[in-house]
């Protein structure tokens, strides 16, 4: 775009009015704002922070915390070792070793013999969750994971499955039900304009 | 001899109380800061975090005291001392209660006669304000020396900014109180309080019954605004804390200081805040004056009441300074200079001349 393009709109910086130039009325306005906040916390307990170890912060439903591996109704791992999550992962933190599924599992060809996520490498972007075709990997609301060594923060299949057991009741699987029809767009989007 | 002992006792009390108050002011500052940001602030050390200042002090004393190898050692060690000493000796002439005729007396045992307890370390100094300003502007040496001796470009810039800021704001600070001084006809801080008290009660049209309209903030409001602005600049408080500027100067003049030396700069800054708040209250809010209190009341109960009123007003003033700190962003350097030289100094001069004309017209 050129500097003299007619579609460019020039905006002049606002000029200060006299009561803004003498500072005092605007400072009083500012004092009123901060005063409301100070009194709001001091009198009405309007603080936004929580007293952490005693009070637990509840993250929003789409918070991206530590991963879990979902299980199906028979308690088997849902993952089919298709490697889509490992491919999608921008941090290369997922390591999957797939093997042929046993003959009594007729619904799949493969399953993960080992499924390891390096939680220190992970950037919690959620792209594995989006890539997964069978809704096997999900990010939970758990945020207080700690470890005393780097090795402790490398989560294997058993640990990821146990995360599912811990969070199953608080966060049921997002896509177990088929989305209702009403979740389609309710209005027709306007045509794209240039 | 008796007077000397009295002064030593008063010095001990005042220094003890102010240093203790500084410790708790830091707690109050942290609390106000937290509230302004919708947080709770320190609340773990005892009920209402009342032990927090002790914990902070212990931390300051126990931390490793690093003296970098490249500093100019004598000046580096001297700077924090100057910060504390200049901030402390300013209290010598600040009245913290009734002085003079309304001061209470104690009769001493063993026939040593009566001793009048003036609520001021050095009473009857006629040039009280001049002394406070002289000592207060010495405090900038602490900042400049710290910046110079640290041998660090950030500290140095902080020190230079401080010197320019101090030179600029000394002028409006001095000019802004002159109308009040002219009105009261004295440089003695007690005389100024007594004048405000007497003026408030002698106003015509029933205004005298309100009792507080004689305060400097009502008689010279413009002077009050200029004084307040310059006082913020003198104490290096936000929005004029350019010598420190955590963001661009990494702490400015005290970048290289650690442990208790850093704590001493902190102490000096808060002592300065207390002094300036006392001065504001004495010059512009009538000191111990409230409706119902006057200089004719003598005795211990009115004296303690007046001290309580004065300290209460000072506390409100300090909280106001903290409130301002979380309201206004820092001034840019050129805006700072513009404000002093293009706005405050001309305004203060006009204000002074107006008060002179008014007094000449009404009192001759």
């Amino acid at each position: 775009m050129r500097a003299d393009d007619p579609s460019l709109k020039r905006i002049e910086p606002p000029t200060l009015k006299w009561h803004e130039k003498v500072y005092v009325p605007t400072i009083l306005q500012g004092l009123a704002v901060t005063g409301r906040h100070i009194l709001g916390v001091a009198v009405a307990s309007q603080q936004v922070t929580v007293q952490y170890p005693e009070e637990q912060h509840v993250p929003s439903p789409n918070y991206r915390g530590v991963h879990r591996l979902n299980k199906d109704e028979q308690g088997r791992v849902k993952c089919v070792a298709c490697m889509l999550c490992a491919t999608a992962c921008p941090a290369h933190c997922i390591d999957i070793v797939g093997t042929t599924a046993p003959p009594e599992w007729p619904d799949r060809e493969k399953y993960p013999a080992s499924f390891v996520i390096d939680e220190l490498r992970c950037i919690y972007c959620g792209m594995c969750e989006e890539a997964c075709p069978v809704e096997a990997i999900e990010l939970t609301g758990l945020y207080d994971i700690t470890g005393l060594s780097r090795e402790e923060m490398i989560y294997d299949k058993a640990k990821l499955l146990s995360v599912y057991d811990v969070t199953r009741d608080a966060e049921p699987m997002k896509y177990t039900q088929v989305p209702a029809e009403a979740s389609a767009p309710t209005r027709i989007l306007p045509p794209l304009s240039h | 001899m008796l007077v000397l002992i009295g002064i030593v006792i008063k010095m001990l009390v005042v220094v003890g109380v102010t240093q203790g108050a500084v410790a708790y002011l830091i707690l109050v500052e942290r609390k106000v800061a937290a509230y302004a940001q919708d947080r709770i602030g320190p609340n773990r050390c005892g009920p209402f975090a009342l032990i927090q200042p002790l914990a902070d002090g212990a931390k300051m004393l126990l931390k490793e005291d690093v003296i970098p190898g490249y500093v100019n050692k004598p000046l580096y060690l001297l700077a924090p001392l100057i910060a504390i000493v200049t901030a402390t000796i300013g209290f010598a002439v600040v009245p913290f209660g009734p002085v003079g005729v309304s001061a209470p007396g104690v009769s001493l045992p063993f026939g040593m006669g009566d001793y009048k307890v003036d609520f001021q370390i050095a009473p009857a100094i006629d040039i009280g304000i001049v002394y406070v300003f002289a000592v207060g502007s010495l405090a900038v040496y602490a900042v400049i020396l710290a910046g110079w001796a640290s041998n660090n470009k950030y500290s140095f810039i902080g020190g230079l900014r401080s010197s320019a800021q101090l030179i600029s704001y000394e002028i409006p600070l001095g000019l802004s109180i002159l109308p009040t001084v002219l009105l009261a006809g004295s440089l003695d801080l007690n005389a100024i309080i007594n004048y405000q008290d007497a003026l408030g009660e002698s106003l015509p049209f029933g205004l005298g019954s309100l009792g507080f309209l004689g305060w400097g903030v009502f008689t010279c409001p413009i002077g009050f605004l200029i004084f307040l602005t310059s006082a913020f600049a003198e104490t290096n408080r936000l929005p004029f804390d350019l010598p420190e500027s955590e963001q661009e100067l990494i702490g400015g003049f005290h970048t290289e200081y650690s442990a208790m030396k850093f704590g001493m700069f902190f102490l000096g800054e808060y002592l300065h805040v207390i002094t300036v708040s006392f001065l504001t209250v004495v010059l512009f809010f009538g000191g111990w004056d409230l409706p119902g209190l006057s200089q004719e009341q003598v005795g211990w109960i009115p004296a303690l009441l007046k001290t309580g009123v004065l300290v209460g007003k000072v506390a409100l003033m300090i909280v106001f300074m903290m409130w301002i700190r979380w309201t206004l962003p820092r001034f840019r350097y050129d805006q700072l200079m513009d404000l002093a030289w293009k706005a405050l100094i001309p305004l203060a001069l006009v204000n002074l001349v107006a008060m002179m004309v008014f007094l000449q017209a009404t009192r001759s």
Side-chain angles (χ1 to χ4, degrees), chain B residues 184-196:
Chain B
S186 171
L187 283 165
D188 184 0
L189 291 165
N190 295 306
I192 292 175
I193 298 182
N194 290 342
Y195 177 80
Q196 294 178 52

Side-chain angles (χ1 to χ4, degrees), chain A residues 23-24 27 30-32 34-35 37-38 41-42 46-49 51-54, chain B residues 32 34-40 43-44 225 320 323-324 326-328 331 335 339:
Chain A
Y23 289 125
V24 177
I27 287 175
L31 284 175
T34 41
H37 280 269
I38 291 171
V41 177
Q46 287 173 345
Q47 67 270 11
V48 295
T49 51
Q51 296 298 298
Y52 169 62
E54 294 92 19
Chain B
V32 171
Y35 287 173
Q37 297 169 347
D38 288 350
R39 296 185 284 119
I40 299 170
N43 64 346
R44 299 272 158 171
L225 279 180
F320 177 75
W323 185 9
I324 282 277
W326 295 103
T327 301
L328 297 178
F331 271 57
Q335 291 169 335
L339 186 66

Side-chain angles (χ1 to χ4, degrees), chain B residues 214-232:
Chain B
W215 293 358
V217 67
F218 299 111
T219 48
C220 3
I222 294 178
F224 167 67
L225 279 180
I226 298 170
F227 179 84
L228 198 63
T229 316
S230 315
F232 276 106

Side-chain angles (χ1 to χ4, degrees), chain B:
Chain B
M1 188 62 198
L2 206 56
V3 174
L4 207 63
I5 293 172
I7 287 179
V8 168
I9 291 175
K10 278 189 281 190
M11 271 160 66
L12 290 178
V13 168
V14 168
V15 170
V17 168
T18 48
Q19 309 263 341
V22 164
Y24 277 89
L25 278 187
I26 295 175
L27 174 64
V28 172
E29 170 104 60
R30 290 175 65 181
K31 273 290 191 188
V32 171
Y35 287 173
Q37 297 169 347
D38 288 350
R39 296 185 284 119
I40 299 170
N43 64 346
R44 299 272 158 171
C45 274
F48 303 106
L50 285 178
I51 314 176
Q52 185 76 40
L54 290 182
D56 285 348
K59 184 198 77 174
M60 287 285 184
L61 285 170
L62 294 177
K63 275 181 110 167
E64 186 187 357
D65 195 355
V66 182
I67 301 180
Y70 45 80
V71 298
N72 184 337
K73 218 167 169 188
L75 294 183
Y76 179 84
L77 297 176
L78 187 65
L81 291 178
I82 294 180
I84 285 211
V85 169
T86 52
T88 310
I89 59 180
F91 279 105
V93 297
V94 176
F96 43 94
V99 183
V101 283
S102 51
V106 274
S107 53
L108 297 168
F110 313 121
M112 285 195 288
D114 282 350
Y115 177 67
K116 225 161 165 37
V117 183
D118 287 318
F119 282 67
Q120 189 180 27
I121 293 175
I125 289 188
D126 289 341
I127 53 160
I129 294 181
V130 179
Y131 172 80
V132 174
F133 280 7
V135 168
S137 40
L138 281 181
V140 72
Y141 280 101
V143 178
I144 297 175
L145 283 183
W148 174 262
S150 290
N151 214 350
N152 166 326
K153 60 187 167 196
Y154 296 114
S155 303
F156 187 55
I157 295 173
L160 280 188
R161 281 185 182 185
S162 184
S163 59
Q165 181 173 328
L166 256 285
I167 288 169
S168 305
Y169 279 88
E170 281 285 306
I171 304 166
L173 189 74
L175 286 175
S176 65
I177 58 150
L178 283 183
T180 324
V181 171
L182 280 177
L183 203 59
S186 171
L187 283 165
D188 184 0
L189 291 165
N190 295 306
I192 292 175
I193 298 182
N194 290 342
Y195 177 80
Q196 294 178 52
D197 173 45
L199 179 70
E201 278 154 24
S202 66
L203 285 175
F205 314 122
L207 292 174
S209 58
L210 287 175
F212 58 82
L213 287 177
W215 293 358
V217 67
F218 299 111
T219 48
C220 3
I222 294 178
F224 167 67
L225 279 180
I226 298 170
F227 179 84
L228 198 63
T229 316
S230 315
F232 276 106
E234 286 281 313
T235 49
N236 289 338
R237 298 276 304 176
L238 271 160
F240 302 113
D241 68 334
L242 283 111
E244 289 179 43
S245 311
E246 290 88 349
Q247 291 83 5
E248 73 252 30
L249 292 188
I250 326 168
F253 63 93
H254 57 54
T255 307
E256 299 288 356
Y257 284 86
S258 50
M260 203 53 211
K261 291 202 194 63
F262 170 73
M264 281 157 87
F265 277 118
F266 230 66
L267 208 63
E269 180 187 328
Y270 278 91
L271 284 173
H272 225 82
V273 167
I274 297 179
T275 321
V276 160
S277 300
F278 261 103
L279 270 187
T280 317
V281 168
V282 165
L283 290 170
F284 294 102
F285 288 97
W288 41 258
D289 187 29
L290 262 196
L293 288 177
S294 76
Q295 50 186 314
E296 283 84 34
Q297 293 156 337
V298 184
W300 274 102
I301 293 174
L304 292 178
L305 209 60
K306 286 170 185 174
T307 309
V309 168
L310 182 54
V311 171
K313 284 180 182 175
V314 168
L316 285 180
M317 188 62 213
I318 293 173
V319 169
F320 177 75
M321 287 181 93
M322 293 174 178
W323 185 9
I324 282 277
R325 169 175 181 173
W326 295 103
T327 301
L328 297 178
R330 184 181 303 125
F331 271 57
R332 218 171 49 213
Y333 191 70
D334 59 320
Q335 291 169 335
L336 180 87
M337 289 293 141
D338 272 4
L339 186 66
W341 292 98
K342 291 186 186 168
L344 292 185
I345 292 175
L347 200 61
L349 279 173
V350 169
N351 190 30
L352 174 62
V353 172
M355 179 56 83
M356 285 157 73
V357 169
F358 171 76
L359 288 180
Q360 192 68 29
T362 52
R363 289 199 182 159
S364 59

